[in-house]
Structure formats: structure tokens, C-alpha cells
């Protein structure tokens, strides 16, 4: 018998090194599967680009039929209709159709798309019903084409997610790979509509993937590139919200004012988010079936649209006009107030639509209004109304959704005003901070949070991946030669002061053979020459000193063992690791990361002590 002690081997890498044997169930970065999933993602991106074009055509067709009685696919705004009071009935009719489609098709078409996709990712292994692939775009086209104050981006995100999920359910892949395909389809659809591949990638990271790894980023990025190519081919290469306005480099004083604007819009984003779900709660109290709620919301949309026609439909032209900085105060004010009312009432009724375009419109209008107030109070200030609109729409998106990086990049890509980066960053961070401090859930997560679904809002490295087994293992391990008889082992154990729960079986070269529980020695009643190696029922595969704690935990759970041997790369015994030791180490690491310490003292004696302690020994 022997006990073996060794120093702690330190790995130069913090990741698990399992290159010698594929012995652990830890997820291996399989490059062939990555290429395969990437190819599927590109195919989904190409398909959803065509569906995006079809959706826009369908919205245009229904808009022309509803408001102009014209059979045409030409893009037109319902704001110029000449229907008079008949316009009130058109959104209500669209609401009736959407309600019936939800009842007899799928209830999942209700809402604005992203929360529903998030819920399926978090609770249902990214499985979305295939019928959503066609029911969502059709229902949304009807809702928007009949005057609903929504954008096409929410429905196409939901449709792309459903397409990716459906493909993932047809293939033999893991639920993580299916999540990647769902996310790839969703953000490829967004890119196909807006031509914003970089913003779409960050949208996937911040709202759908909840991770940042090569296995997810590569397929999603390729899908977004495909969607961008589809946008250029099927739509236009010009930025979606190109206004022709000039935005120069701003001064430090202006950056400060735009930051204040971001703070104000952050609080307004909270108000907007709360009001959406307050209206939903009011509809829940109505004594009629939910099928008819979209029709009631449609009546409200029609009434507002009768008096303020610019609130009807997608309204991308409203955003462009606001970004020009030339819209009169009356139009800015009425658009801000009544677009907000129309959208909140329609979305709260449970119809099918999106949130992004209305948020951008409301935010841009608020930005212009706040800038006008600043100009009125301080006429000498250098404030650009076009930049104020850009900052307003981006800060509103950042505050309501807390997709900070997405909101900044989206504003840059859709307008081409890349020199607005610094004020955008300042305002969006301000809005995001207000939202984080004063609002628990976002406009994207409130609905699913009410259903008990927890959504990640922080992305930190796995602490179990950052510590190696060799750093926490028990370095004293009792080893027994495989040729020793069981009776000899029992005799030694009775005389020894050591009482290990497990014995490590080794060969003559002190290389690992197997592991047995000490209690198994005393269950044996056979031949006195029987070797201890016969008690190894199942060879427990050892851990290497440079494996991560996550790998150790996976092996323990798979092998149903609370103790594992640890070996070095020469397969010589280095020690043992137990489940209790692993758990205690994890708790210590977690506590250490939260511990508040002072490492440099500003007191004179403290500085003098530090200087003396760090002085080389040969210096006197």
C-alpha cells in the first residue's frame, strides 16, 4: 500500500483539455456539426428573405384593397385615404379576422413575436409549431394592411424563428442547435426587412441566444449576411430610414444634453412598457371572449386614424420624416401622442403585430420634442433636430427592450449616420441605466415573466470552467496494486490509521487501473487469493489534472459517483476529487467574486509597508 503526494499541476489554459480521449459528456466543439448547422442557417436565411418580400407585398396588397380599393402590390400609406368615417371600420374588420385565425388556427399568432420566441427557447427546447410559419405572416399582414399601427419586423422575426425551429425539428439535432437555427431565422428575417446584419447579430445575443460562443455566433452571422444580401436584392441597398439630413460632429456640451435626453426617454420607456401591459390587463377583465378583443382594439385604431391618419399602418415614412428634422411641431406632437395611443390599445388587445416600428416612431418624436424644448429654453445651444430624432428612437428602443448594443447599431445601420456614434452611445447607456434601475422586466420579457418564465439578463463566464481539477483536488490518495489480494487489503486497512472511502487500484508502473469503494472489501467472502482488481465492477474513467470542474461535475453525474481519481498526463495518480470538495470550491469561488476588498491602502503607513514588501531582497 502507498500514499502518493504530488504538486498541483497548473494548466496554461482555462478550458478543458480532452484531446487525448473523448471520455466526457461535456459538449465538444464539433467543427463538422458547426459547418452543417451553418449551412442550414444560410438556407433558412435565404428562405426567410423571400418570405419577408412576400410579407411586404401582402401588406401592400391588403392596404391597397382596404383603403384604396385597388388591386396593387405597390407600397402605399393608408394615411392618404378618402374613405371618411368608413375608415373606422377597416381596422375593426381586420381585428375580427385575426381573432378568428387565432381561435381556429393558433393562439400563438397573438402578440408581437419576440416574447413568444423567447418563451419557446427557454421552456420548450426551441420547439415552435410549424403552422406559425404561415399563420403569423398572414395574420400580421391582415392586421397591418387594415391599418394596424405596427411594423413588419415583429411578424417576420416570429416567422423566421418558426421556420428555423421547424427545420430543427425535422433534423436529428440537439435542442441547443435548434435554438441556434431558431435565432438565425429570426434575425435573418429582421435583416431582410431592415438591412441591419450587425444589429441583428447583437439582437440574437441579447434577446434570443443568451450566449456568446463560436457554435452560435457563426451560424447566426452567416444567416444575417444572407438576409442582408436578400435585402439588397429584393428591397434596396439604400438605408431604410435615409432622410438626407446632415449630422455633423457634436460638441461636448451637446453630448451632455443628448445624455440628459437619454435619461428622460429612459423614464418614458418605462411608462410606455407599463402602459402596454396595463392595457392588456384591462382587456383581460372584459366580459367577452378574447377572440373579439382585436376588433375592439381595431375600433380604437380606426377612431384615432380618422382624426390623425398618419397613425395608421406601418408608418416607416413617419420615421424618415422625423429624422429629416423638418417636421412641424404640430405633426410631431400629434404623431407622438396618438401613435402611442393607437399602438398601445391595438397591441394590448392581443392582435398580431410588432413593437419595433412604433417604439422607433414614438422615440423619434419624443427626441424632437425634447430638443425643441431645449432650444426654446436655451436658444444658443447647438442641437440638431435630426440627431435628436435619431437619439430619441434609439434610446426608446434601448430603454424598453434593454437591448443596448442592438439599439445603437440599428440606428447607425438604418440611417447611415455613423458619425452619431458618440451621442448615441451616451443617450442609449443613459436610457438603459434608467430602465435597469427602475424597471424589473422589459417590454420583451414582462409577458413571459408573468407566466413564471425566468429570462437571463446577465452573461457571465461559467465559474466551473475557470478552475482546473488539479487546483482543488485532494493530493493524498491511497493506492493499491492490482495484484494484492483482498484479504491483504483488509488486513492493511484494519491496521492503518487512514480511513479513505475509496481505494485507487494501480499497476506496477503506478498507472491508474480502477477505483473501488472501501466498503466493498468487507462484503467479500470468497477465496483468500482473489485480487482486489476483481472488485472493480465498472472502470470509472479518471479525470486529468487540467480538466475543468465542469468536466468533473459532468462525469460525477453521468457515472453516479461522488468521488473520482485524478491523474496526470502520464496516467500516474495525482489525487482524488469528491463532490463535496467540488461544491465547496464552487461556493468559495462565488463568494470570492462577490467579496469587497481594499488591495491598496491610501494611508501613509500602508503605502510604505507595500513598498517595502515588494522591494527585491538584494536591495537594502
Amino acid at each position: 500500500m502507498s500514499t502518493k503526494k504530488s504538486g498541483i499541476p497548473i494548466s496554461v489554459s482555462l478550458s478543458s483539455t480532452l484531446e487525448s480521449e473523448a471520455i466526457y459528456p461535456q459538449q465538444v466543439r464539433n467543427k463538422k456539426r458547426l459547418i452543417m448547422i451553418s449551412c442550414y442557417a444560410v438556407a433558412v436565411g435565404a428562405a426567410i428573405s423571400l418570405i419577408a418580400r412576400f410579407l411586404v407585398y401582402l401588406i401592400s396588397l391588403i392596404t391597397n384593397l382596404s383603403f384604396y380599393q385597388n388591386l396593387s402590390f405597390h407600397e402605399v400609406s393608408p394615411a392618404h385615404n378618402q374613405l371618411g368615417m368608413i375608415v373606422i371600420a377597416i381596422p375593426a374588420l381586420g381585428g375580427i379576422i385575426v381573432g378568428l385565425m387565432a381561435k381556429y388556427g393558433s393562439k400563438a399568432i397573438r402578440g408581437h413575436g419576440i416574447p413568444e420566441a423567447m418563451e419557446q427557447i427557454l421552456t420548450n427546447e426551441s420547439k415552435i409549431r410549424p403552422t406559425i410559419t404561415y399563420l403569423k405572416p398572414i395574420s400580421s399582414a391582415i392586421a397591418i394592411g387594415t391599418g394596424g399601427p405596427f411594423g413588419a419586423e415583429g411578424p417576420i422575426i416570429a416567422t423566421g424563428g418558426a421556420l428555423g425551429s421547424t427545420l430543427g425539428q425535422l433534423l436529428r439535432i440537439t435542442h441547443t442547435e435548434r435554438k441556434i437555427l431558431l435565432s438565425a431565422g429570426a434575425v435573418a428575417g429582421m435583416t431582410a426587412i431592415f438591412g441591419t446584419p450587425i444589429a441583428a447579430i447583437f439582437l440574437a445575443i441579447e434577446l434570443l441566444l443568451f450566449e456568446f460562443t463560436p457554435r452560435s455566433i457563426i451560424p447566426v452571422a452567416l444567416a444575417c449576411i444572407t438576409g442582408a444580401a436578400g435585402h439588397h436584392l429584393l428591397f434596396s441597398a439604400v438605408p431604410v430610414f435615409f432622410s438626407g439630413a446632415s449630422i455633423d460632429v457634436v460638441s461636448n456640451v451637446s453630448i451632455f444634453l443628448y445624455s440628459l435626453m437619454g435619461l428622460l426617454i429612459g423614464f418614458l420607456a418605462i411608462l410606455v412598457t407599463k402602459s402596454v401591459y396595463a392595457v392588456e390587463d384591462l382587456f383581460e377583465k372584459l366580459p367577452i371572449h378574447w377572440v373579439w378583443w382585436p376588433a375592439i382594439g381595431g375600433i380604437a385604431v380606426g377612431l384615432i386614424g380618422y382624426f390623425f391618419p398618419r397613425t395608421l399602418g406601418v408608418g416607416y415614412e413617419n420615421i424618415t420624416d422625423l429624422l429629416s428634422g423638418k417636421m412641424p411641431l404640430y405633426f410631431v406632437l400629434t404623431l407622438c401622442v396618438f401613435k402611442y395611443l393607437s399602438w398601445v390599445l391595438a397591441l394590448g388587445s392581443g392582435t398580431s403585430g410588432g413593437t419595433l416600428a412604433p417604439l422607433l416612431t414614438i422615440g423619434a418624436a419624443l427626441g424632437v420634442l425634447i430638443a425643441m424644448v431645449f432650444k426654446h429654453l436655451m436658444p444658443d445651444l447647438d442641437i440638431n433636430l435630426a440627431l435628436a430624432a435619431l437619439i430619441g428612437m434609439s434610446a426608446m428602443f434601448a430603454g424598453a427592450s434593454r437591448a443596448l448594443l442592438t439599439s445603437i447599431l440599428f440606428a447607425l445601420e438604418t440611417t447611415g449616420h455613423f458619425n452619431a456614434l458618440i451621442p448615441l452611445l451616451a443617450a442609449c447607456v443613459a436610457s438603459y441605466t434608467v430602465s435597469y434601475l427602475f424597471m424589473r422586466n422589459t417590454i420583451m420579457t414582462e409577458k413571459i415573466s408573468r407566466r413564471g418564465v425566468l429570462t437571463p439578463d446577465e452573461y457571465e463566464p461559467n465559474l466551473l470552467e475557470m478552475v482546473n481539477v488539479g487546483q482543488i483536488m485532494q493530493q493524498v490518495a491511497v493506492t493499491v496494486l492490482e495484484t494484492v489480494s483482498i484479504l491483504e487489503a483488509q488486513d492493511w486497512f484494519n491496521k492503518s490509521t487512514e480511513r479513505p472511502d475509496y481505494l485507487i487500484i494501480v499497476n506496477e508502473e503506478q498507472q491508474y487501473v480502477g477505483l473501488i469503494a472501501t466498503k466493498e472489501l468487507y462484503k467479500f467472502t470468497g477465496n483468500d487469493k482473489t485480487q482486489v482488481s476483481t472488485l472493480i465492477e465498472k472502470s470509472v474513467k479518471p479525470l486529468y489534472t487540467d480538466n475543468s470542474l465542469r468536466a468533473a461535475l459532468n462525469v460525477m453525474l453521468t457515472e453516479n459517483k461522488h468521488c473520482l481519481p485524478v491523474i496526470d498526463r502520464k496516467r500516474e495518480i495525482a489525487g482524488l476529487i469528491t463532490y463535496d470538495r467540488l461544491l465547496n470550491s464552487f461556493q468559495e469561488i462565488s463568494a470570492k467574486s462577490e467579496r469587497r476588498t481594499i488591495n491598496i491602502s491610501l494611508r501613509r503607513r500602508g503605502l510604505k509597508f507595500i513598498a517595502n514588501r515588494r522591494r527585491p531582497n538584494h536591495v537594502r
Side-chain angles (χ1 to χ4, degrees):
M1 312 297 169
S2 66
T3 60
K4 183 173 180 63
K5 298 183 180 181
S6 62
I8 302 177
I10 303 296
S11 172
V12 297
S13 172
L14 290 177
S15 61
S16 301
T17 52
L18 304 177
E19 67 278 2
S20 60
E21 298 178 57
I23 59 176
Y24 303 123
Q26 182 184 12
Q27 234 170 12
V28 179
R29 301 331 189 236
N30 190 313
K31 295 181 180 179
K32 290 184 178 179
R33 291 198 66 81
L34 174 60
I35 294 172
M36 179 189 72
I37 296 299
S38 297
C39 291
Y40 291 143
V42 170
V44 170
I48 200 63
S49 297
L50 295 174
I51 295 174
R53 181 70 264 186
F54 167 77
L55 175 62
V56 172
Y57 275 142
L58 188 58
I59 292 173
S60 299
L61 175 64
I62 295 174
T63 302
N64 276 287
L65 287 173
S66 301
F67 292 96
Y68 301 101
Q69 298 75 55
N70 183 24
L71 185 63
S72 171
F73 293 101
H74 179 70
E75 291 186 31
V76 64
S77 170
H80 308 294
N81 74 86
Q82 303 295 325
L83 296 178
M85 295 192 67
I86 297 176
V87 76
I88 299 174
I90 294 177
L93 179 61
I96 292 173
I97 297 172
V98 171
L100 293 174
M101 289 183 68
K103 179 175 176 60
Y104 297 105
S106 174
K107 194 176 179 180
I109 66 173
R110 303 174 71 213
H112 48 99
I114 295 180
E116 290 75 18
M118 293 172 69
E119 183 176 21
Q120 297 307 310
I121 288 172
L122 294 169
T123 65
N124 196 32
E125 297 184 345
S126 304
K127 297 175 183 176
I128 298 177
R129 291 180 59 182
T131 52
I132 302 301
T133 307
Y134 59 88
L135 286 178
K136 185 66 178 180
I138 294 174
S139 63
S140 298
I142 292 171
I144 298 170
T146 54
F150 310 109
E153 67 288 333
I156 200 62
I157 287 173
T159 304
L163 181 62
S165 174
T166 300
L167 177 62
Q169 293 175 70
L170 293 172
L171 303 170
R172 188 181 296 276
I173 60 177
T174 66
H175 71 85
T176 301
E177 292 169 334
R178 186 161 53 248
K179 176 186 72 173
I180 293 169
L181 289 180
L182 185 157
S183 302
V187 295
M190 173 182 170
T191 307
I193 291 290
F194 288 117
T196 55
I198 303 175
I201 292 171
F202 279 93
L203 179 77
I205 295 169
E206 294 182 301
L207 297 180
L208 297 173
L209 288 171
F210 308 112
E211 65 173 84
F212 190 96
T213 58
R215 69 175 180 180
S216 60
I217 295 303
I218 292 174
V220 166
L222 290 173
C224 288
I225 293 169
T226 306
H231 176 81
H232 290 168
L233 177 65
L234 302 172
F235 293 91
S236 172
V238 178
V240 173
F241 300 137
F242 179 77
S243 63
S246 175
I247 296 178
D248 299 322
V249 177
V250 300
S251 65
N252 291 335
V253 174
S254 297
I255 291 175
F256 174 72
L257 292 174
Y258 292 132
S259 300
L260 289 180
M261 184 184 297
L263 288 173
L264 292 173
I265 292 178
F267 285 106
L268 293 170
I270 295 175
L271 176 63
V272 168
T273 301
K274 297 290 185 182
S275 61
V276 166
Y277 290 100
V279 171
E280 280 196 4
D281 293 338
L282 291 175
F283 272 98
E284 292 285 348
K285 296 177 182 179
L286 291 178
I288 59 174
H289 196 279
W290 58 262
V291 169
W292 309 112
W293 296 352
I296 297 174
I299 293 174
V301 170
L303 281 169
I304 295 172
Y306 172 70
F307 293 101
F308 305 97
R310 294 194 71 145
T311 62
L312 294 170
V314 174
Y316 289 156
E317 70 281 356
N318 293 329
I319 299 174
T320 303
D321 291 342
L322 288 165
L323 289 170
S324 70
K326 298 177 181 179
M327 184 177 280
L329 174 61
Y330 171 77
F331 287 108
V332 175
L333 184 60
T334 55
L335 183 62
C336 178
V337 173
F338 293 103
K339 182 74 172 184
Y340 161 73
L341 290 175
S342 178
W343 168 65
V344 167
L345 292 170
L347 191 65
S349 71
T351 192
S352 182
T355 59
L356 186 51
L359 282 175
L360 298 178
T361 304
I362 297 165
L366 284 171
V368 173
L369 290 174
I370 294 172
M372 286 180 173
V373 172
F374 284 168
K375 271 184 166 293
H376 178 74
L377 296 176
M378 295 167 281
D380 294 333
L381 288 179
D382 180 22
I383 296 181
N384 187 319
L385 293 182
L387 179 55
L390 180 63
I391 285 174
M393 78 177 199
S394 186
M396 177 61 73
F397 184 26
S401 68
R402 285 213 284 271
L404 174 62
L405 299 176
T406 303
S407 62
I408 297 169
L409 292 167
F410 181 86
L412 296 176
E413 289 187 284
T414 53
T415 62
H417 293 309
F418 292 98
N419 55 344
L421 175 60
I422 301 302
L424 275 174
L425 179 61
C428 288
V429 169
S431 178
Y432 177 91
T433 302
V434 169
S435 175
Y436 178 76
L437 292 177
F438 298 102
M439 184 167 65
R440 181 179 179 183
N441 295 305
T442 70
I443 199 168
M444 304 298 180
T445 62
E446 176 67 24
K447 179 182 290 187
I448 59 177
S449 176
R450 293 182 177 191
R451 299 172 184 166
V453 179
L454 297 177
T455 54
D457 60 356
E458 296 179 353
Y459 306 95
E460 297 179 343
N462 190 329
L463 294 179
L464 293 178
E465 287 278 14
M466 300 178 66
V467 180
N468 295 333
V469 170
Q471 295 174 258
I472 71 160
M473 70 180 182
Q474 177 184 337
Q475 296 181 67
V476 178
V478 178
T479 60
V480 180
L481 284 174
E482 60 183 341
T483 56
V484 171
S485 70
I486 294 176
L487 293 181
E488 286 178 317
Q490 290 175 348
D491 183 60
W492 173 87
F493 195 80
N494 290 331
K495 295 177 182 179
S496 175
T497 57
E498 299 184 58
R499 290 291 184 270
D501 294 326
Y502 287 87
L503 300 175
I504 298 177
I505 311 302
V506 297
N507 58 22
E508 293 290 345
E509 288 76 31
Q510 292 296 308
Q511 293 181 332
Y512 173 77
V513 175
L515 184 75
I516 63 171
T518 306
K519 62 183 180 181
E520 297 296 325
L521 290 175
Y522 295 96
K523 291 182 180 180
F524 178 77
T525 56
N527 192 300
D528 58 357
K529 293 183 179 181
T530 304
Q531 297 179 352
V532 292
S533 58
T534 60
L535 296 179
I536 304 174
E537 296 181 2
K538 179 182 179 182
S539 180
V540 178
K541 295 174 181 178
L543 294 164
Y544 289 114
T545 53
D546 54 2
N547 288 153
S548 69
L549 296 191
R550 181 180 176 183
L553 180 61
N554 283 341
V555 175
M556 287 178 179
L557 294 175
T558 303
E559 301 283 350
N560 196 23
K561 299 290 183 181
H562 75 275
C563 179
L564 293 173
V566 183
I567 64 176
D568 58 24
R569 286 297 170 179
K570 297 179 181 178
R571 296 193 64 83
E572 294 180 354
I573 300 299
L576 282 171
I577 183 170
T578 63
Y579 178 79
D580 291 338
R581 197 176 185 91
L582 188 153
L583 186 60
N584 290 335
S585 298
F586 176 75
Q587 291 174 335
E588 290 176 9
I589 297 166
S590 300
K592 185 177 180 181
S593 66
E594 298 293 334
R595 191 178 301 137
R596 300 174 183 177
T597 61
I598 297 176
N599 296 315
I600 297 178
S601 174
L602 296 179
R603 293 180 299 177
R604 185 174 180 180
R605 290 183 180 180
L607 291 173
K608 183 177 180 181
F609 170 74
I610 293 169
N612 290 335
R613 186 177 62 177
R614 295 184 177 178
R615 185 178 297 164
N617 292 332
H618 64 275
V619 178
R620 294 288 184 268

